[in-house]
C-alpha cells in the first residue's frame, strides 16, 4: 500500500474541547465547518458530541447533513452563512439554524419559515459577514421579539491579544447588544484566550479543537506518515526532481515518499520542510511533486518504512510556518487520498 496514513486522535479532540470549555463559565459549542477542519466531520462531530458539545457550527447549509447524521436530533446545528436562496428545504428538513446576516436574509427566513429558529450575526468591525449597526438598529426590536437563539459577532484579530481591534470590537458588540435577553457569542478559539469579558453566553472554538494555534496548550490531533517507495544513492553533483531544484555536493541517499501537493503538502514546502524518522530530522530536498516527495536520509543508519511530517515532533503550526501559511490552511488542505485512521473516540 503506497497511500500515506493520516491518524486522527479523537480523544485529543475531545480533550481539547473539554480544556477550552473549562476556561469559561458559559456554554462551549464546536465549529466543524470544512469537513471538521479537514479531519472528517462525521467522526469529529460524534466525538465532540460524546465529549458534551450540544451546538455545532458549519459554514453553509450543505455541510449540515453530515453533521446531523453524526450527532442525531438533539444537537443544534447553526449555519454561519445564514439563509441563502435555495436553502429553505435543507434548513427545514435538517432543522438547521441559520445565522441571518442581512436584511435580505431576514426577509427570506421570515417569509419562508416564519416559526423556524434563527440566530443573528452582527458586524462589529470585520466587514465580512453580519448586519451593521445601522441596519441592526432598524430591525432590532422586531427581530428580538421573534426570540433569536443567538446573537453573535466575530473577532478579526483575536490571535493577537495586544491588538487594539479586540477592544474596539468588544465595545461595538456591546453597544449593539447590551441589555438584550437573547444569548450572545463573540469568541472563537482566540477570543476564549482573551479572557472572560469576551466569553458572553457561548463560545465557538474551531482550530483549538484540532490542535492548532492560538491554543498553544492544545493536544496534538493529527499524525501524518508517508511511506518510502524507493531509495537511491547519488554521487556528488547529481540533481533531484523537477527543475533540478536541488543538487548534492556530497554522496547522498534520497528516499522517495508517497504524497505530494495533491495531498495538501503544499509546493511551498519544497527545499525546506523537515520530515521525521522518529526523532531524527530529515530535510525535504528538491520540489514537492503532485504525488511524490524526496527526502535526504543520508544520515540514517537504515531506510525507514515511513517518515512523518505531522506528529509529536512537528505540529500543524510548525509545518505551516515552513510553508508560509497558517495551521488552518494545512489542515483544510489535507487531501482525500490518505488512509485515515481514527484513534480513540470511545467505542466507535
Ligand atoms: C471559523 C469560525 C469560528 C472558529 O474559529 P477558530 O479560530 O477556528 O476557533 C468561529 N466563528 C466564526 C464566525 C468562524 O467563521
Amino acid at each position: 500500500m503506497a497511500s500515506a496514513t493520516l491518524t486522527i486522535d479523537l480523544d485529543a479532540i475531545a480533550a481539547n474541547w473539554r480544556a477550552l470549555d473549562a476556561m469559561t463559565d458559559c456554554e462551549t459549542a464546536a465549529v466543524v465547518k470544512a469537513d471538521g477542519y479537514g479531519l472528517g466531520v462525521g467522526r469529529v462531530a460524534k466525538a465532540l458530541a460524546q465529549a458534551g458539545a450540544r451546538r455545532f457550527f458549519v459554514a453553509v447549509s450543505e455541510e449540515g447533513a453530515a453533521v446531523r447524521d453524526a450527532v442525531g436530533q438533539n444537537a443544534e446545528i447553526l449555519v454561519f452563512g445564514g439563509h441563502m436562496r435555495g436553502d429553505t428545504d435543507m434548513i427545514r428538513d435538517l432543522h438547521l439554524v441559520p445565522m441571518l446576516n442581512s436584511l435580505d436574509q431576514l426577509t427570506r427566513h421570515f417569509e419562508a419559515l416564519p416559526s423556524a429558529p434563527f440566530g443573528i450575526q452582527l458586524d462589529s468591525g470585520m466587514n465580512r459577514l453580519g448586519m451593521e449597526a445601522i441596519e441592526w438598529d432598524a430591525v432590532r426590536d422586531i427581530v428580538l421579539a421573534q426570540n433569536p437563539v443567538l446573537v453573535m459577532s466575530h473577532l478579526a484579530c483575536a490571535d493577537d491579544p495586544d491588538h487594539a481591534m479586540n477592544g474596539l470590537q468588544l465595545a461595538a458588540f456591546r453597544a449593539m447588544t447590551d441589555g438584550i435577553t437573547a444569548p450572545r457569542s463573540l469568541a472563537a478559539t482566540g477570543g476564549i484566550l482573551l479572557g472572560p469579558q469576551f466569553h458572553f453566553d457561548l463560545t465557538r472554538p474551531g482550530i483549538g479543537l484540532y490542535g492548532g494555534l492560538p491554543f498553544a496548550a492544545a493536544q496534538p490531533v493529527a499524525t501524518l506518515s508517508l511511506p518510502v517507495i524507493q531509495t537511491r544513492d547519488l554521487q556528488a553533483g547529481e540533481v533531484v526532481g523537477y527543475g533540478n531544484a536541488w543538487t548534492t555536493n556530497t554522496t547522498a541517499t534520497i528516499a522517495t515518499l508517497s504524497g505530494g501537493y495533491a495531498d495538501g503538502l503544499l509546493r511551498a514546502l519544497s527545499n525546506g520542510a523537515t520530515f521525521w524518522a522518529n526523532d531524527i530530522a530529515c530535510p525535504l530536498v528538491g520540489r514537492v511533486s503532485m504525488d511524490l516527495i524526496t527526502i535526504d536520509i543520508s544520515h540514517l543508519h537504515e531506510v525507514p518504512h515511513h517518515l512523518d511530517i505531522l506528529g509529536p515532533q512537528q505540529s500543524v503550526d510548525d509545518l505551516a510556518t515552513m510553508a508560509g501559511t497558517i495551521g488552518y490552511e494545512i489542515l483544510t488542505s489535507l487531501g482525500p487520498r490518505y488512509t485515515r485512521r481514527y484513534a480513540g473516540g470511545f467505542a466507535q
Side-chain angles (χ1 to χ4, degrees):
M1 183 176 78
S3 133
T5 303
L6 176 63
T7 305
I8 295 141
D9 185 344
L10 297 170
D11 288 345
I13 294 179
N16 289 335
W17 184 84
R18 280 191 224 101
L20 290 165
D21 185 47
M23 287 180 195
T24 73
D25 293 327
C26 66
E27 181 179 350
T28 304
V31 178
V32 294
K33 61 194 179 186
D35 194 28
Y37 286 47
L39 297 179
V41 72
R43 302 297 292 266
V44 163
K46 205 171 264 181
L48 287 163
Q50 283 169 337
R54 287 290 164 268
R55 291 195 196 186
F56 297 85
F57 286 91
V58 293
V60 296
S61 293
E62 285 79 357
E63 293 182 320
V67 181
R68 182 57 77 205
D69 275 351
V71 300
Q73 292 306 315
N74 290 330
E76 191 169 84
I77 302 170
L78 305 99
V79 183
F80 289 134
H83 191 150
M84 294 289 284
R85 197 185 299 281
D87 281 355
T88 301
D89 288 353
M90 266 182 297
I91 289 171
R92 185 190 49 226
D93 296 347
L94 295 167
H95 300 107
L96 307 179
V97 179
M99 304 305 303
L100 304 178
N101 288 299
S102 64
L103 301 185
D104 273 357
Q105 289 200 348
L106 274 179
T107 309
R108 181 178 296 128
H109 188 75
F110 291 159
E111 282 178 359
L113 299 171
S115 56
F118 67 95
I120 294 290
Q121 185 156 198
L122 300 176
D123 181 9
S124 54
M126 190 175 184
N127 286 312
R128 192 179 68 169
L129 273 185
M131 272 177 262
E132 302 205 0
I134 191 162
E135 296 171 290
W136 176 234
D137 276 348
V139 295
R140 191 183 136 115
D141 294 341
I142 304 163
V143 168
L144 291 175
Q146 304 295 316
N147 297 318
V149 303
L150 190 70
V151 176
M152 63 163 274
S153 187
H154 191 51
L155 297 168
C157 305
D159 58 340
D160 177 359
D162 298 324
H163 204 295
M165 187 67 169
N166 298 321
L168 293 173
Q169 287 194 264
L170 177 60
F173 185 58
R174 293 196 57 160
M176 285 189 275
T177 61
D178 271 356
I180 71 174
T181 52
R184 294 187 285 176
S185 175
L186 182 60
T189 303
I192 294 172
L193 304 171
L194 292 179
Q197 70 273 36
F198 288 86
H199 296 166
F200 295 92
D201 301 300
L202 175 116
T203 63
R204 316 181 305 270
I207 192 70
L209 306 174
Y210 309 105
L213 289 175
F215 185 30
Q219 292 189 21
V221 168
T223 308
L224 182 53
S225 291
L226 277 59
V228 176
I229 301 183
Q230 196 180 18
T231 60
R232 63 200 347 99
D233 294 317
L234 305 191
Q235 300 300 315
E238 286 197 85
V239 296
V240 172
Y242 282 124
N244 294 358
W246 187 75
T247 307
T248 181
N249 51 24
T250 61
T251 59
T253 305
I254 301 300
T256 303
L257 312 188
S258 178
Y261 61 75
D263 303 296
L265 302 172
L266 308 177
R267 201 159 165 280
L269 295 167
S270 296
N271 260 329
T274 303
F275 277 68
W276 295 87
N278 297 315
D279 55 355
I280 305 174
C282 303
L284 192 165
V285 295
R287 285 193 193 150
V288 175
S289 306
M290 185 186 294
D291 323 296
L292 298 166
I293 281 178
T294 38
I295 306 291
D296 185 352
I297 57 162
S298 307
H299 54 305
L300 300 185
H301 296 304
E302 56 187 63
V303 175
H305 289 117
H306 59 85
L307 289 158
D308 296 342
I309 187 167
L310 290 176
Q313 319 293 349
Q314 189 159 286
S315 70
V316 288
D317 293 287
D318 295 333
L319 187 59
T321 301
M322 293 174 195
T325 182
I326 53 176
Y328 299 74
E329 190 178 30
I330 296 290
L331 286 176
T332 57
S333 299
L334 295 171
R337 285 198 291 190
Y338 297 119
T339 299
R340 285 166 183 248
R341 298 221 159 97
Y342 290 90
F346 301 81
Q348 288 190 54

